Amino acid sequence: MLRKFYTLMSLVLIVSFALAACGSPATEVPAVVNEPASTEAPAAPATEAPASAEPVTITWWHITTKDPGLSDWQKMADDYMAAHPNVTIEITVLENEAFKTKLTTVMQSGEVPDIFQSWGGGTFNQQVEAGLLKDITAELAADSAWKDSFAPGALGVYSYAGANYGVPWDMGMVGFWYNKALFEQAGIANPPATWTEFLDAVKALKAAGITPISIGEGDKWPGMHFWNYLATRSCGQAKFEAAMARTGSFTDPCFIEAGTKLQELLALEPFQDGFLGATHDDMQAAFGNGKAAMELSGQWAPSTSAANSADQKGVGENLGLFGFPGLEGGAGDAGDVVGGGNGFAIGKDAEPEAIDFVKYLTSVENQTIIAVNGSGIPVVKGSETGLVDPNMLQVQQTFAAAQYFQLYYDQFLPPATGSVLNDSVQGLFAGTLTPEQVAQAVEDSVAAEIK
Amino acid sequence: MQQLPAASNTLESKRVSSFPDKLVIVLFLAPALILFLLFVVYPIFRSIYFSLFDWNGLGPAVDFVGFGNYKTILTDKVFIKALWNGVMIIVFSLGLQLPLALALAVLVGRDLPGRGIFRTIFFLPYVLSEVNVAIMWMLLYNPDPDRGLLNSIAVIFGAEPVGWLSNTNLVLLSVFIALTWKYFGFHMLLYLAGLQNIPLDLEEAARIDGANNFQNFFYITLPLLGGTIRTSVYMSVLGSIQQFILVWIMTKGGPVNASETLATYMYRFGFVRFELGYGSAVAIYMFVLCLIFSLIYQRLTRQPDYLTGL
């Protein structure tokens, strides 16, 4: 009986340890107190730190799961640790969706990593409001060389109510990627600069028997980009910001116009067969295989359309980029840009060393490594020289020249509203909702979310 | 385990009375009970609590709305659509999927040459994860005839490519086909196991009395399979109500909510829109639906099991 009892007790212990391990971040060690630090994170117990300065552990969650980015981040952390022996950097690498789920969970318990992946926008703002992020405005102001090195539009994505809570490390934009050969075949000499010219180009492509645009509207956000850009062109910065500040409204005629202009395009039936159920990969495949002349997509389009194409090469030399056409009579400028990118958010408990490390990560040298290895489009001035791909250089230049940079609406709006917008725009594409209903749905959601 | 060979012991020794015995019971129960309480019972009550708040998951839930979430859900057309789709999947499952599984079970339960191979083939889809099945069927359904098998076949026969997942009238059926493909093997296996329990002499006796195959099936096999069928229907209905992975991967409940299920609706609000209070309320509705169904079903089907009497 006694032996049985001990066997049972040990079983119970094993189970509880397993549970404790499940409950703690997978590659971190400190949560399981009784276990020695056995995983890759080099634990630094306070008593053993050899350095003169106070030992500090920085936790960093990122989502770069593939090389070269994965090794680049690791090397930057290793180099920093070598130069600062008192600092230990614990990196947790998570896949995108797993990261979001896990971050949500730890945030409910108030445990925030010191540095973590962020895209800015509504989710970021909610984190700020919940007091989970650290205000680094003073640190940025104290080191103006660091602050001024960022492209202002990109830095602004990680600010809320005038204060900074993070910094960008990559930024891109959405535009029309087009197949030059198919445009030539349809007799279109120059990429369209206005919405009217754009609709004419779509008609010319249809007449030539070419599918004008590929889209993955099953995923919803590819279609949202159309509405987003049309609203940006139609309303401009002022009306959008007024609507967000609740001094204006999303039922303003300019937001309804975004829908009616989109309907003008939809009436031409410019998309590939089955676009309503198509995924983003399907969209990239259709474009990459040369089955559609255009797609409205971000800076990832050249690589993902190639990866999804039959020969893995995509449209190759025929690939071109033109900005979203200007809207006649709209309040927005044709040079205004919609896009987004990646950044580092700073957790509320971050030590000064964590901010210093982020400063190191966003140095010109490290940003150039990001550019050279194609892990992103750098946001720090001087590092764009690392960009070898002419398309990426064009993205960087267009984005840097924009007077008004708008983060994708579905990212910028509160998460609930972003999802409402995506769902509603799909209704517009399917013909089940009117432009007025889309604007009203967004307005209702914003009114409920922003108080 | 000790008790088994000790059958000759006196009654007293079998009764659980001594302290160490009770301790053993507690220790054996404790792990499962703790896990059950921690991961099943506690979350349910936590969800009920959260469902009374307007809460985005960050920080404590403070915006108390009472039963507001529950009321809003019932007025949402998309929720009604999801409910209706759930009913459709149940009807299809019971009307098509289970009879198909039963027919195949009877077929491969017989002494056919190569029945082992067929059993394996039919059961194979069930071994695949739902994610694999969803992605495989998405490839088959691809609207581009150069990429999707079904549409390339359609084009060979001169038909127009079919928008399996983009046509709002067709999408639920397309998803159901994938669901059936995955799950018929599982139900077939259940029926096969049930068929093994039916004594052959019954069929033989009936045959001697002049019953044909048809009569044999409907008057002997089917009634004696009652218990298995009840289990299979039960699992099928609950599985339909909770269907999520396959639908979410293939269609995300779209286009325009045409293939929305209760689970995708819950996920959309809970983890896409981060309206966790509202999402919790949806989860509670699902929980109550499953609970009511379980209770009514068990009451309705409390029939004598013919086989246990044998």
Side-chain angles (χ1 to χ4, degrees):
Chain A
M1 188 54 72
L2 204 61
R3 212 185 64 196
K4 224 190 230 168
F5 175 76
Y6 282 127
T7 317
L8 260 171
M9 278 314 289
S10 53
L11 264 173
V12 169
L13 272 175
I14 289 168
V15 168
S16 51
F17 271 123
L19 284 176
C22 288
S24 72
T27 49
E28 279 182 2
V29 275
V32 185
V33 186
N34 294 343
E35 301 244 318
S38 53
T39 43
E40 74 259 45
T47 48
E48 286 169 24
S52 51
E54 280 286 298
V56 173
T57 302
I58 301 172
T59 51
W60 176 21
W61 289 16
H62 72 72
I63 60 163
T64 310
T65 52
K66 290 197 182 105
D67 273 332
L70 179 64
S71 312
D72 287 345
W73 288 141
Q74 187 62 52
K75 184 172 183 306
M76 289 175 201
D78 291 343
D79 289 350
Y80 187 85
M81 281 191 282
H84 302 79
N86 65 320
V87 175
T88 307
I89 300 164
E90 283 177 2
I91 301 181
T92 303
V93 186
L94 292 157
E95 183 277 328
N96 187 6
E97 292 304 316
F99 164 79
K100 287 179 187 166
T101 312
K102 193 160 179 161
L103 190 72
T104 312
T105 317
V106 295
M107 288 213 156
Q108 280 169 31
S109 65
E111 296 269 329
V112 192
D114 297 328
I115 305 165
F116 60 94
Q117 163 69 27
S118 178
W119 296 270
T123 312
F124 177 85
N125 295 347
Q126 285 188 345
Q127 290 163 356
V128 173
E129 279 173 4
L132 297 163
L133 300 188
K134 188 183 183 76
D135 185 346
I136 58 163
T137 319
E139 284 84 349
L140 275 165
D143 188 350
S144 61
W146 184 38
K147 183 180 182 179
D148 295 339
S149 70
F150 292 107
L155 187 62
V157 168
Y158 301 92
S159 69
Y160 181 64
N164 297 87
Y165 299 86
V167 295
W169 62 267
D170 157 68
M171 196 54 69
M173 59 165 271
V174 172
F176 276 109
W177 298 89
Y178 73 109
N179 186 325
K180 289 175 185 164
L182 293 179
F183 265 52
E184 201 172 308
Q185 205 179 316
I188 306 164
N190 293 310
T194 66
W195 187 246
T196 316
E197 284 177 28
F198 177 73
L199 295 179
D200 288 341
V202 167
K203 285 176 201 157
L205 285 161
K206 285 277 280 189
I210 300 164
T211 302
I213 306 170
S214 81
I215 193 168
E217 192 47 18
D219 282 339
K220 298 176 183 175
W221 52 267
M224 193 281 308
H225 285 159
F226 279 87
W227 194 88
N228 190 161
Y229 250 124
L230 283 166
T232 303
R233 293 279 182 271
S234 167
C235 305
Q237 185 170 11
K239 279 191 176 167
F240 177 72
E241 285 181 352
M244 287 303 288
R246 301 282 73 203
T247 52
S249 163
F250 281 97
T251 51
D252 188 284
C254 75
F255 288 103
I256 295 167
E257 193 194 10
T260 50
K261 289 292 169 189
L262 183 51
Q263 280 183 327
E264 288 177 7
L265 174 66
L266 295 173
L268 301 177
E269 299 185 352
F271 306 113
Q272 83 278 22
D273 284 338
F275 69 93
L276 264 184
T279 63
H280 174 251
D281 277 351
D282 292 336
M283 151 178 157
Q284 298 289 353
F287 180 73
N289 287 330
K291 292 201 154 192
M294 288 182 267
E295 62 173 3
L296 184 61
S297 179
Q299 68 280 9
W300 56 86
S303 56
T304 42
S305 64
N308 280 291
S309 67
D311 59 2
Q312 302 285 304
K313 292 200 179 81
V315 292
E317 303 254 292
N318 286 320
L319 184 68
L321 169 69
F322 64 90
F324 196 92
L327 192 60
E328 300 89 336
D333 186 80
D336 295 345
V337 158
V338 173
N342 300 290
F344 301 117
I346 313 294
K348 65 177 166 64
D349 301 321
E351 308 272 354
E353 283 81 357
I355 296 163
D356 189 59
F357 175 55
V358 167
K359 203 181 283 182
Y360 172 73
L361 285 175
T362 52
S363 64
V364 179
E365 295 75 41
N366 282 331
Q367 277 274 286
T368 310
I369 293 174
I370 298 293
V372 170
N373 285 342
S375 311
I377 298 173
V379 289
V380 169
K381 290 179 191 105
S383 49
E384 68 275 4
T385 49
L387 289 172
V388 281
D389 185 337
N391 287 314
M392 290 305 113
L393 200 58
Q394 191 185 350
V395 166
Q396 195 274 336
Q397 283 165 350
T398 315
F399 151 73
Q403 292 299 309
Y404 165 40
F405 176 82
Q406 175 58 52
L407 182 64
Y408 325 112
Y409 280 172
D410 60 342
Q411 184 72 43
F412 184 83
L413 293 163
T417 311
S419 167
V420 167
L421 174 61
N422 282 339
D423 293 350
S424 306
V425 171
Q426 195 192 38
L428 201 60
F429 274 80
T432 58
L433 292 179
T434 65
E436 289 79 11
Q437 285 170 321
V438 173
Q440 189 65 51
V442 175
E443 172 61 22
D444 290 347
S445 178
V446 168
E449 293 293 320
I450 301 176
K451 286 159 189 157
Chain B
M1 267 168 244
Q2 291 177 322
Q3 275 92 332
L4 271 180
S8 60
N9 283 7
T10 54
L11 261 178
E12 279 89 332
S13 71
K14 281 190 198 166
R15 282 223 318 264
V16 184
S17 54
S18 61
F19 175 72
D21 276 353
K22 275 187 180 158
L23 186 72
V24 168
I25 289 176
V26 169
L27 280 175
F28 267 101
L29 273 180
L33 189 69
I34 290 170
L35 287 180
F36 181 72
L37 289 175
L38 203 64
F39 292 108
V40 179
V41 178
Y42 172 72
I44 290 173
F45 283 98
R46 200 78 184 143
S47 292
I48 293 175
Y49 172 76
F50 285 140
S51 71
L52 304 175
F53 290 87
D54 182 2
W55 182 51
N56 66 9
L58 295 170
V62 285
D63 196 355
F64 185 79
V65 292
F67 288 98
N69 286 331
Y70 290 91
K71 283 182 202 149
T72 319
I73 290 171
L74 290 184
T75 58
D76 187 356
K77 271 185 270 178
V78 179
F79 178 76
I80 305 300
K81 175 79 185 166
L83 210 56
W84 173 247
N85 283 344
V87 171
M88 290 307 285
I89 293 178
I90 291 172
V91 169
F92 281 144
S93 297
L94 301 190
L96 296 171
Q97 187 178 328
L98 298 191
L100 172 77
L102 182 59
L104 287 172
V106 171
L107 213 63
V108 298
R110 290 277 170 80
D111 244 341
L112 286 176
R115 64 175 183 172
I117 296 170
F118 281 108
R119 273 185 200 178
T120 316
I121 291 174
F122 291 150
F123 188 65
L124 218 52
Y126 182 69
V127 179
L128 299 175
S129 80
E130 286 208 11
V131 178
N132 290 347
V133 173
I135 291 173
M136 192 195 84
W137 278 92
M138 279 174 82
L139 295 173
L140 291 176
Y141 283 143
N142 197 300
D144 183 347
D146 288 348
R147 299 177 67 215
L149 178 69
L150 291 180
N151 278 327
S152 72
I153 294 172
V155 168
I156 288 172
F157 286 98
E160 285 285 304
V162 181
W164 295 100
L165 297 176
S166 56
N167 183 331
T168 48
N169 297 317
L170 207 60
V171 62
L172 194 63
L173 186 71
S174 306
V175 168
F176 175 74
I177 291 172
L179 267 178
T180 302
W181 186 82
K182 167 147 173 64
Y183 283 105
F184 81 93
F186 170 71
H187 292 285
M188 185 194 78
L189 198 76
L190 283 182
Y191 294 139
L192 267 176
L195 286 173
Q196 308 277 317
N197 286 335
I198 300 175
L200 275 177
D201 13 341
L202 278 175
E203 277 192 38
E204 261 174 45
R207 225 171 278 282
I208 288 163
D209 287 343
N212 58 25
N213 280 342
F214 180 83
Q215 289 167 321
N216 234 324
F217 177 77
F218 279 99
Y219 294 106
I220 305 221
T221 315
L222 211 52
L224 290 182
L225 219 48
T228 312
I229 293 175
R230 285 205 293 278
T231 313
S232 148
V233 167
Y234 183 68
M235 297 177 84
S236 184
V237 170
L238 288 192
S240 303
I241 294 177
Q242 296 168 10
Q243 177 46 230
F244 173 71
I245 302 175
L246 210 111
V247 177
W248 188 257
I249 292 176
M250 289 179 77
T251 68
K252 294 199 165 58
V256 283
N257 310 113
S259 60
E260 201 82 57
T261 67
L262 289 177
T264 59
Y265 182 80
M266 175 187 78
Y267 186 84
R268 184 183 314 286
F269 281 92
F271 296 102
V272 178
R273 299 192 178 178
F274 286 103
E275 296 177 22
L276 286 172
Y278 190 92
S280 298
V282 179
I284 299 302
Y285 269 125
M286 279 175 72
F287 172 71
V288 169
L289 263 179
C290 291
L291 193 70
I292 291 176
F293 168 75
S294 298
L295 293 176
I296 293 179
Y297 189 74
Q298 289 190 348
R299 179 62 55 90
L300 281 181
T301 57
R302 200 184 287 161
Q303 292 165 357
D305 195 333
Y306 297 109
L307 275 178
T308 46
L310 287 168

